Amino acid sequence: LALELKKNSIFYDDAEKDHLSYIIDRYETKKKFIPGDTEKFAKNLYENGAILENLYRPLDRFKFPLIINTNPDVILSKLFGENEFEHLHYDMTNTIPQKFPEDHENKTIVYNIFGSFRNEYSILFTEKEAVEFAKKAYEKNPPIPPEIKNIIKRCYGLFLGFDYKDWHLKILFDVLDLKNKPGNYSISDNSTNILEYNKEYYERQFNMTFLNNDLITFLALI
Protein backbone atom coordinates (compact mmCIF):
# COMPACT_ATOMS: atom_id res chain seq x y z
CA LEU A 1 0.00 0.00 0.00
CA ALA A 2 2.85 2.38 0.76
CA LEU A 3 4.23 1.67 -2.71
CA GLU A 4 0.81 2.45 -4.18
CA LEU A 5 0.76 5.77 -2.33
CA LYS A 6 4.18 6.68 -3.69
CA LYS A 7 3.12 5.72 -7.21
CA ASN A 8 0.06 7.98 -6.92
CA SER A 9 2.05 10.83 -5.28
CA ILE A 10 -0.07 10.68 -2.11
CA PHE A 11 1.52 12.00 1.08
CA TYR A 12 1.74 9.72 4.13
CA ASP A 13 3.72 9.64 7.35
CA ASP A 14 6.47 7.05 6.77
CA ALA A 15 6.59 6.32 10.52
CA GLU A 16 2.98 5.08 10.25
CA LYS A 17 3.37 2.91 7.15
CA ASP A 18 2.64 -0.26 9.19
CA HIS A 19 -0.58 1.27 10.57
CA LEU A 20 -2.98 -0.40 8.13
CA SER A 21 -6.13 1.66 8.69
CA TYR A 22 -4.14 4.92 8.39
CA ILE A 23 -2.48 3.83 5.14
CA ILE A 24 -5.84 2.74 3.71
CA ASP A 25 -7.39 6.09 4.64
CA ARG A 26 -4.58 7.77 2.67
CA TYR A 27 -5.00 5.29 -0.22
CA GLU A 28 -8.69 6.18 -0.51
CA THR A 29 -7.83 9.84 -1.17
CA LYS A 30 -6.36 8.95 -4.58
CA LYS A 31 -7.83 10.51 -7.72
CA LYS A 32 -10.62 8.53 -9.37
CA PHE A 33 -11.05 6.37 -6.26
CA ILE A 34 -14.19 4.24 -6.58
CA PRO A 35 -15.88 2.58 -3.54
CA GLY A 36 -14.79 -1.05 -3.58
CA ASP A 37 -11.27 -0.36 -4.90
CA THR A 38 -9.70 -1.09 -1.50
CA GLU A 39 -11.52 -4.42 -1.21
CA LYS A 40 -10.54 -5.48 -4.73
CA PHE A 41 -6.92 -4.44 -4.14
CA ALA A 42 -6.73 -6.40 -0.86
CA LYS A 43 -8.38 -9.52 -2.28
CA ASN A 44 -5.97 -9.54 -5.23
CA LEU A 45 -2.98 -9.33 -2.86
CA TYR A 46 -4.42 -12.11 -0.70
CA GLU A 47 -5.13 -14.47 -3.59
CA ASN A 48 -1.77 -13.92 -5.29
CA GLY A 49 0.49 -13.64 -2.25
CA ALA A 50 2.62 -16.32 -0.64
CA ILE A 51 1.12 -17.49 2.66
CA LEU A 52 3.47 -18.36 5.56
CA GLU A 53 1.88 -21.62 6.59
CA ASN A 54 4.21 -22.47 9.50
CA LEU A 55 2.11 -20.39 11.93
CA TYR A 56 -1.09 -22.16 10.92
CA ARG A 57 -0.09 -25.82 10.60
CA PRO A 58 0.34 -26.53 14.35
CA LEU A 59 -3.24 -25.39 15.06
CA ASP A 60 -4.83 -28.48 13.53
CA ARG A 61 -3.68 -30.87 16.28
CA PHE A 62 -5.19 -28.83 19.13
CA LYS A 63 -8.81 -29.39 18.03
CA PHE A 64 -9.95 -26.03 19.40
CA PRO A 65 -13.75 -25.76 19.53
CA LEU A 66 -13.52 -22.12 18.38
CA ILE A 67 -10.96 -19.78 16.82
CA ILE A 68 -11.80 -16.07 16.76
CA ASN A 69 -9.79 -14.79 13.80
CA THR A 70 -9.12 -11.04 13.66
CA ASN A 71 -7.62 -11.50 10.19
CA PRO A 72 -9.95 -11.95 7.20
CA ASP A 73 -8.23 -15.07 5.82
CA VAL A 74 -9.71 -18.54 5.34
CA ILE A 75 -6.35 -20.30 5.30
CA LEU A 76 -7.23 -23.04 7.80
CA SER A 77 -9.98 -24.44 5.59
CA LYS A 78 -7.62 -24.39 2.62
CA LEU A 79 -4.90 -26.20 4.58
CA PHE A 80 -6.98 -28.81 6.35
CA GLY A 81 -10.33 -28.92 4.56
CA GLU A 82 -13.92 -27.95 5.35
CA ASN A 83 -14.48 -31.22 7.23
CA GLU A 84 -12.17 -30.02 10.02
CA PHE A 85 -12.65 -26.23 9.94
CA GLU A 86 -15.88 -24.32 9.37
CA HIS A 87 -15.42 -20.62 8.54
CA LEU A 88 -18.07 -18.09 9.51
CA HIS A 89 -17.73 -14.30 9.58
CA TYR A 90 -19.32 -11.15 10.94
CA ASP A 91 -20.86 -8.96 8.24
CA MET A 92 -22.14 -5.52 9.25
CA THR A 93 -24.28 -5.30 6.11
CA ASN A 94 -26.18 -8.48 6.94
CA THR A 95 -28.98 -7.86 9.45
CA ILE A 96 -29.91 -11.58 9.42
CA PRO A 97 -27.61 -13.66 11.68
CA GLN A 98 -25.51 -16.32 9.98
CA LYS A 99 -26.87 -19.82 10.42
CA PHE A 100 -24.67 -21.81 12.77
CA PRO A 101 -23.77 -25.30 11.44
CA GLU A 102 -25.67 -28.10 13.14
CA ASP A 103 -22.62 -30.38 13.26
CA HIS A 104 -20.30 -27.73 14.80
CA GLU A 105 -19.27 -30.02 17.66
CA ASN A 106 -17.45 -32.24 15.15
CA LYS A 107 -15.20 -29.49 13.77
CA THR A 108 -13.41 -26.30 14.74
CA ILE A 109 -15.42 -23.13 14.11
CA VAL A 110 -13.30 -20.26 12.75
CA TYR A 111 -15.15 -16.99 13.24
CA ASN A 112 -13.69 -14.06 11.30
CA ILE A 113 -14.90 -11.30 13.57
CA PHE A 114 -13.65 -8.40 11.38
CA GLY A 115 -14.91 -9.84 8.08
CA SER A 116 -13.73 -12.41 5.54
CA PHE A 117 -12.20 -12.59 2.08
CA ARG A 118 -15.15 -14.81 1.17
CA ASN A 119 -17.01 -11.50 1.11
CA GLU A 120 -14.33 -8.82 0.89
CA TYR A 121 -16.92 -6.06 1.45
CA SER A 122 -17.46 -7.37 4.99
CA ILE A 123 -13.83 -6.65 6.02
CA LEU A 124 -12.95 -3.78 8.37
CA PHE A 125 -10.25 -1.76 6.64
CA THR A 126 -10.59 1.80 7.97
CA GLU A 127 -11.02 3.56 11.32
CA LYS A 128 -14.52 4.58 10.22
CA GLU A 129 -15.45 0.93 9.64
CA ALA A 130 -14.01 -0.02 13.05
CA VAL A 131 -16.26 2.61 14.68
CA GLU A 132 -19.24 1.28 12.72
CA PHE A 133 -18.38 -2.27 13.85
CA ALA A 134 -18.36 -1.17 17.50
CA LYS A 135 -21.78 0.44 17.09
CA LYS A 136 -23.30 -2.54 15.26
CA ALA A 137 -21.82 -5.13 17.63
CA TYR A 138 -23.12 -3.34 20.75
CA GLU A 139 -26.54 -2.85 19.17
CA LYS A 140 -26.55 -6.53 18.10
CA ASN A 141 -27.38 -5.43 14.57
CA PRO A 142 -26.52 -8.02 13.44
CA PRO A 143 -25.76 -10.04 16.59
CA ILE A 144 -22.76 -12.27 17.05
CA PRO A 145 -24.17 -15.84 17.02
CA PRO A 146 -25.09 -16.92 20.58
CA GLU A 147 -23.32 -20.24 19.96
CA ILE A 148 -20.05 -18.30 19.62
CA LYS A 149 -20.57 -16.56 22.95
CA ASN A 150 -21.58 -19.82 24.66
CA ILE A 151 -18.32 -21.49 23.60
CA ILE A 152 -16.30 -18.44 24.74
CA LYS A 153 -18.02 -18.35 28.12
CA ARG A 154 -17.12 -21.93 29.06
CA CYS A 155 -13.55 -22.06 27.67
CA TYR A 156 -10.15 -20.66 28.51
CA GLY A 157 -8.86 -18.13 26.00
CA LEU A 158 -5.47 -18.37 24.26
CA PHE A 159 -4.42 -15.20 22.40
CA LEU A 160 -1.73 -15.55 19.73
CA GLY A 161 -0.19 -12.71 17.74
CA PHE A 162 -1.83 -9.69 19.43
CA ASP A 163 0.02 -6.45 20.20
CA TYR A 164 -2.96 -4.73 21.91
CA LYS A 165 -2.33 -1.21 20.59
CA ASP A 166 -5.52 -1.06 18.51
CA TRP A 167 -8.36 0.64 20.40
CA HIS A 168 -11.05 -1.51 18.79
CA LEU A 169 -9.65 -4.64 20.48
CA LYS A 170 -10.96 -3.24 23.78
CA ILE A 171 -14.39 -2.91 22.18
CA LEU A 172 -14.19 -6.43 20.77
CA PHE A 173 -13.14 -8.03 24.07
CA ASP A 174 -15.96 -6.25 25.85
CA VAL A 175 -18.56 -7.30 23.25
CA LEU A 176 -17.41 -10.92 23.57
CA ASP A 177 -17.63 -10.64 27.37
CA LEU A 178 -14.14 -12.04 27.88
CA LYS A 179 -14.01 -11.02 31.52
CA ASN A 180 -16.63 -13.55 32.60
CA LYS A 181 -14.86 -16.75 31.60
CA PRO A 182 -12.34 -19.15 33.21
CA GLY A 183 -9.20 -17.24 32.16
CA ASN A 184 -7.26 -15.67 29.29
CA TYR A 185 -3.61 -16.17 28.31
CA SER A 186 -1.65 -14.11 25.79
CA ILE A 187 1.50 -15.47 24.13
CA SER A 188 3.95 -13.01 22.58
CA ASP A 189 7.72 -12.60 22.24
CA ASN A 190 10.01 -9.67 23.03
CA SER A 191 9.65 -8.19 19.54
CA THR A 192 5.96 -7.43 20.15
CA ASN A 193 6.81 -4.80 22.79
CA ILE A 194 3.39 -4.52 24.46
CA LEU A 195 3.17 -1.23 26.35
CA GLU A 196 2.93 -1.61 30.11
CA TYR A 197 -0.25 0.45 30.48
CA ASN A 198 -1.95 -1.78 27.89
CA LYS A 199 -0.87 -4.87 29.83
CA GLU A 200 -2.30 -3.42 33.04
CA TYR A 201 -5.60 -2.61 31.33
CA TYR A 202 -6.09 -6.12 29.91
CA GLU A 203 -4.95 -7.78 33.13
CA ARG A 204 -7.46 -5.78 35.16
CA GLN A 205 -10.40 -5.71 32.76
CA PHE A 206 -10.16 -9.12 31.09
CA ASN A 207 -8.29 -11.36 33.52
CA MET A 208 -5.42 -11.63 31.02
CA THR A 209 -2.13 -13.36 31.88
CA PHE A 210 0.78 -12.38 29.64
CA LEU A 211 3.38 -15.05 28.82
CA ASN A 212 6.61 -14.26 26.99
CA ASN A 213 7.44 -16.94 24.41
CA ASP A 214 8.10 -17.33 20.70
CA LEU A 215 4.85 -18.49 19.03
CA ILE A 216 6.36 -21.32 17.00
CA THR A 217 8.34 -22.59 20.01
CA PHE A 218 5.27 -22.41 22.24
CA LEU A 219 3.04 -24.30 19.80
CA ALA A 220 5.71 -26.98 19.40
CA LEU A 221 5.98 -27.51 23.16
CA ILE A 222 2.32 -27.97 24.09
Short mmCIF file of all heavy atoms in Angstrom, two decimals, residues 3 11 14 21 23 28-29 38 46 63 75 96 99 105 113 125 133 139 145 155 158 168 187-188 192 198 218:
data_model
loop_
_atom_site.label_atom_id
_atom_site.label_comp_id
_atom_site.label_asym_id
_atom_site.label_seq_id
_atom_site.Cartn_x
_atom_site.Cartn_y
_atom_site.Cartn_z
N LEU A 3 3.74 1.54 -1.34
CA LEU A 3 4.23 1.67 -2.71
C LEU A 3 3.16 2.27 -3.62
O LEU A 3 3.47 3.08 -4.51
CB LEU A 3 4.67 0.30 -3.25
CG LEU A 3 5.91 -0.31 -2.60
CD1 LEU A 3 6.14 -1.72 -3.13
CD2 LEU A 3 7.14 0.56 -2.86
N PHE A 11 0.71 11.85 -0.13
CA PHE A 11 1.52 12.00 1.08
C PHE A 11 1.06 11.03 2.17
O PHE A 11 -0.13 10.77 2.35
CB PHE A 11 1.41 13.43 1.62
CG PHE A 11 2.02 13.58 3.00
CD1 PHE A 11 3.39 13.71 3.16
CD2 PHE A 11 1.21 13.55 4.13
CE1 PHE A 11 3.95 13.80 4.43
CE2 PHE A 11 1.76 13.66 5.39
CZ PHE A 11 3.13 13.78 5.55
N ASP A 14 5.72 8.30 6.92
CA ASP A 14 6.47 7.05 6.77
C ASP A 14 6.56 6.28 8.08
O ASP A 14 6.63 5.05 8.08
CB ASP A 14 7.87 7.34 6.24
CG ASP A 14 8.60 6.08 5.81
OD1 ASP A 14 8.14 5.43 4.85
OD2 ASP A 14 9.61 5.74 6.45
N SER A 21 -4.95 0.82 8.92
CA SER A 21 -6.13 1.66 8.69
C SER A 21 -5.74 3.07 8.25
O SER A 21 -6.41 3.68 7.42
CB SER A 21 -7.02 1.70 9.94
OG SER A 21 -6.32 2.24 11.04
N ILE A 23 -2.95 3.91 6.51
CA ILE A 23 -2.48 3.83 5.14
C ILE A 23 -3.65 3.67 4.17
O ILE A 23 -3.67 4.24 3.07
CB ILE A 23 -1.48 2.66 4.99
CG1 ILE A 23 -0.17 2.98 5.72
CG2 ILE A 23 -1.19 2.36 3.52
CD1 ILE A 23 0.63 4.11 5.10
N GLU A 28 -7.35 5.85 -0.01
CA GLU A 28 -8.69 6.18 -0.51
C GLU A 28 -8.85 7.66 -0.87
O GLU A 28 -9.94 8.07 -1.28
CB GLU A 28 -9.75 5.72 0.49
CG GLU A 28 -9.79 4.20 0.62
CD GLU A 28 -10.95 3.67 1.45
OE1 GLU A 28 -11.67 4.49 2.05
OE2 GLU A 28 -11.12 2.44 1.50
N THR A 29 -7.78 8.46 -0.72
CA THR A 29 -7.83 9.84 -1.17
C THR A 29 -7.31 9.98 -2.60
O THR A 29 -7.27 11.09 -3.15
CB THR A 29 -6.97 10.77 -0.26
OG1 THR A 29 -5.58 10.41 -0.38
CG2 THR A 29 -7.41 10.66 1.20
N THR A 38 -10.53 -0.56 -2.58
CA THR A 38 -9.70 -1.09 -1.50
C THR A 38 -9.93 -2.59 -1.36
O THR A 38 -8.98 -3.37 -1.23
CB THR A 38 -10.02 -0.40 -0.17
OG1 THR A 38 -9.79 1.00 -0.30
CG2 THR A 38 -9.16 -0.94 0.96
N TYR A 46 -4.23 -10.89 -1.48
CA TYR A 46 -4.42 -12.11 -0.70
C TYR A 46 -4.37 -13.36 -1.59
O TYR A 46 -3.71 -14.35 -1.26
CB TYR A 46 -5.75 -12.04 0.03
CG TYR A 46 -6.16 -13.32 0.72
CD1 TYR A 46 -5.46 -13.80 1.82
CD2 TYR A 46 -7.25 -14.06 0.26
CE1 TYR A 46 -5.83 -14.97 2.45
CE2 TYR A 46 -7.64 -15.24 0.90
CZ TYR A 46 -6.92 -15.69 1.99
OH TYR A 46 -7.29 -16.85 2.60
N LYS A 63 -7.36 -29.14 18.06
CA LYS A 63 -8.81 -29.39 18.03
C LYS A 63 -9.57 -28.36 18.88
O LYS A 63 -10.43 -28.71 19.68
CB LYS A 63 -9.13 -30.81 18.50
CG LYS A 63 -8.36 -31.90 17.77
CD LYS A 63 -8.58 -31.86 16.25
CE LYS A 63 -7.75 -32.93 15.54
NZ LYS A 63 -7.83 -32.81 14.07
N ILE A 75 -7.47 -19.41 5.58
CA ILE A 75 -6.35 -20.30 5.30
C ILE A 75 -6.54 -21.69 5.93
O ILE A 75 -6.18 -22.71 5.33
CB ILE A 75 -5.03 -19.67 5.79
CG1 ILE A 75 -4.73 -18.41 4.96
CG2 ILE A 75 -3.87 -20.65 5.69
CD1 ILE A 75 -3.60 -17.58 5.50
N ILE A 96 -29.44 -10.24 9.06
CA ILE A 96 -29.91 -11.58 9.42
C ILE A 96 -28.71 -12.38 9.91
O ILE A 96 -27.71 -12.51 9.21
CB ILE A 96 -30.56 -12.29 8.22
CG1 ILE A 96 -31.74 -11.47 7.69
CG2 ILE A 96 -31.00 -13.70 8.61
CD1 ILE A 96 -32.34 -12.03 6.43
N LYS A 99 -26.41 -18.55 9.87
CA LYS A 99 -26.87 -19.82 10.42
C LYS A 99 -25.67 -20.62 10.94
O LYS A 99 -24.70 -20.83 10.21
CB LYS A 99 -27.63 -20.62 9.37
CG LYS A 99 -28.27 -21.88 9.91
CD LYS A 99 -29.08 -22.59 8.84
CE LYS A 99 -29.72 -23.86 9.41
NZ LYS A 99 -30.51 -24.59 8.37
N GLU A 105 -20.04 -29.34 16.61
CA GLU A 105 -19.27 -30.02 17.66
C GLU A 105 -18.24 -30.99 17.08
O GLU A 105 -17.35 -31.44 17.78
CB GLU A 105 -20.22 -30.75 18.61
CG GLU A 105 -21.10 -29.80 19.42
CD GLU A 105 -22.00 -30.53 20.40
OE1 GLU A 105 -21.97 -31.78 20.41
OE2 GLU A 105 -22.73 -29.86 21.14
N ILE A 113 -14.11 -12.33 12.90
CA ILE A 113 -14.90 -11.30 13.57
C ILE A 113 -14.85 -9.95 12.85
O ILE A 113 -15.78 -9.15 12.95
CB ILE A 113 -14.42 -11.15 15.05
CG1 ILE A 113 -15.41 -10.31 15.86
CG2 ILE A 113 -13.02 -10.57 15.11
CD1 ILE A 113 -16.69 -10.99 16.19
N PHE A 125 -11.52 -2.27 7.12
CA PHE A 125 -10.25 -1.76 6.64
C PHE A 125 -9.88 -0.42 7.28
O PHE A 125 -8.72 -0.14 7.51
CB PHE A 125 -10.27 -1.58 5.12
CG PHE A 125 -10.15 -2.87 4.34
CD1 PHE A 125 -11.17 -3.30 3.52
CD2 PHE A 125 -9.01 -3.65 4.44
CE1 PHE A 125 -11.05 -4.47 2.79
CE2 PHE A 125 -8.88 -4.83 3.72
CZ PHE A 125 -9.92 -5.23 2.90
N PHE A 133 -18.33 -0.92 13.27
CA PHE A 133 -18.38 -2.27 13.85
C PHE A 133 -18.74 -2.20 15.33
O PHE A 133 -19.59 -2.96 15.81
CB PHE A 133 -17.04 -2.98 13.68
CG PHE A 133 -16.90 -4.21 14.54
CD1 PHE A 133 -17.45 -5.42 14.14
CD2 PHE A 133 -16.25 -4.16 15.77
CE1 PHE A 133 -17.35 -6.55 14.95
CE2 PHE A 133 -16.13 -5.27 16.57
CZ PHE A 133 -16.69 -6.48 16.16
N GLU A 139 -25.10 -2.89 19.43
CA GLU A 139 -26.54 -2.85 19.17
C GLU A 139 -27.10 -4.21 18.76
O GLU A 139 -28.30 -4.37 18.60
CB GLU A 139 -26.85 -1.82 18.08
CG GLU A 139 -26.62 -0.38 18.50
CD GLU A 139 -26.90 0.60 17.36
OE1 GLU A 139 -27.04 0.15 16.20
OE2 GLU A 139 -26.99 1.81 17.66
N PRO A 145 -23.39 -14.63 16.71
CA PRO A 145 -24.17 -15.84 17.02
C PRO A 145 -24.04 -16.23 18.50
O PRO A 145 -22.93 -16.25 19.04
CB PRO A 145 -23.56 -16.91 16.11
CG PRO A 145 -23.01 -16.14 14.95
CD PRO A 145 -22.52 -14.84 15.53
N CYS A 155 -14.91 -21.63 28.01
CA CYS A 155 -13.55 -22.06 27.67
C CYS A 155 -12.50 -21.05 28.12
O CYS A 155 -12.77 -19.86 28.24
CB CYS A 155 -13.42 -22.24 26.15
SG CYS A 155 -14.40 -23.59 25.47
N LEU A 158 -6.89 -18.42 24.60
CA LEU A 158 -5.47 -18.37 24.26
C LEU A 158 -5.31 -17.36 23.13
O LEU A 158 -5.88 -17.52 22.04
CB LEU A 158 -4.98 -19.75 23.82
CG LEU A 158 -3.51 -19.89 23.45
CD1 LEU A 158 -2.61 -19.58 24.63
CD2 LEU A 158 -3.23 -21.30 22.92
N HIS A 168 -9.84 -0.72 19.00
CA HIS A 168 -11.05 -1.51 18.79
C HIS A 168 -10.96 -2.92 19.38
O HIS A 168 -11.98 -3.60 19.51
CB HIS A 168 -11.43 -1.58 17.30
CG HIS A 168 -10.36 -2.10 16.40
ND1 HIS A 168 -9.44 -1.29 15.78
CD2 HIS A 168 -10.07 -3.36 16.01
CE1 HIS A 168 -8.64 -2.02 15.03
NE2 HIS A 168 -8.99 -3.28 15.17
N ILE A 187 0.15 -15.04 24.43
CA ILE A 187 1.50 -15.47 24.13
C ILE A 187 2.12 -14.49 23.13
O ILE A 187 1.57 -14.25 22.06
CB ILE A 187 1.53 -16.88 23.51
CG1 ILE A 187 0.68 -17.86 24.33
CG2 ILE A 187 2.97 -17.38 23.38
CD1 ILE A 187 1.11 -18.03 25.74
N SER A 188 3.25 -13.90 23.50
CA SER A 188 3.95 -13.01 22.58
C SER A 188 5.43 -13.01 22.94
O SER A 188 5.82 -13.35 24.06
CB SER A 188 3.39 -11.58 22.66
OG SER A 188 3.49 -11.08 23.97
N THR A 192 7.30 -8.03 20.18
CA THR A 192 5.96 -7.43 20.15
C THR A 192 5.93 -6.12 20.92
O THR A 192 5.24 -5.17 20.55
CB THR A 192 4.92 -8.40 20.74
OG1 THR A 192 5.02 -9.65 20.05
CG2 THR A 192 3.52 -7.86 20.57
N ASN A 198 -1.01 -0.88 28.56
CA ASN A 198 -1.95 -1.78 27.89
C ASN A 198 -2.03 -3.11 28.62
O ASN A 198 -3.12 -3.69 28.78
CB ASN A 198 -1.53 -2.00 26.44
CG ASN A 198 -2.07 -0.95 25.50
OD1 ASN A 198 -3.11 -0.34 25.77
ND2 ASN A 198 -1.39 -0.71 24.41
N PHE A 218 6.36 -22.10 21.31
CA PHE A 218 5.27 -22.41 22.24
C PHE A 218 4.36 -23.48 21.67
O PHE A 218 4.01 -24.45 22.37
CB PHE A 218 4.47 -21.13 22.52
CG PHE A 218 3.24 -21.36 23.34
CD1 PHE A 218 3.32 -21.50 24.72
CD2 PHE A 218 2.00 -21.44 22.73
CE1 PHE A 218 2.17 -21.72 25.47
CE2 PHE A 218 0.84 -21.66 23.48
CZ PHE A 218 0.93 -21.80 24.85
#
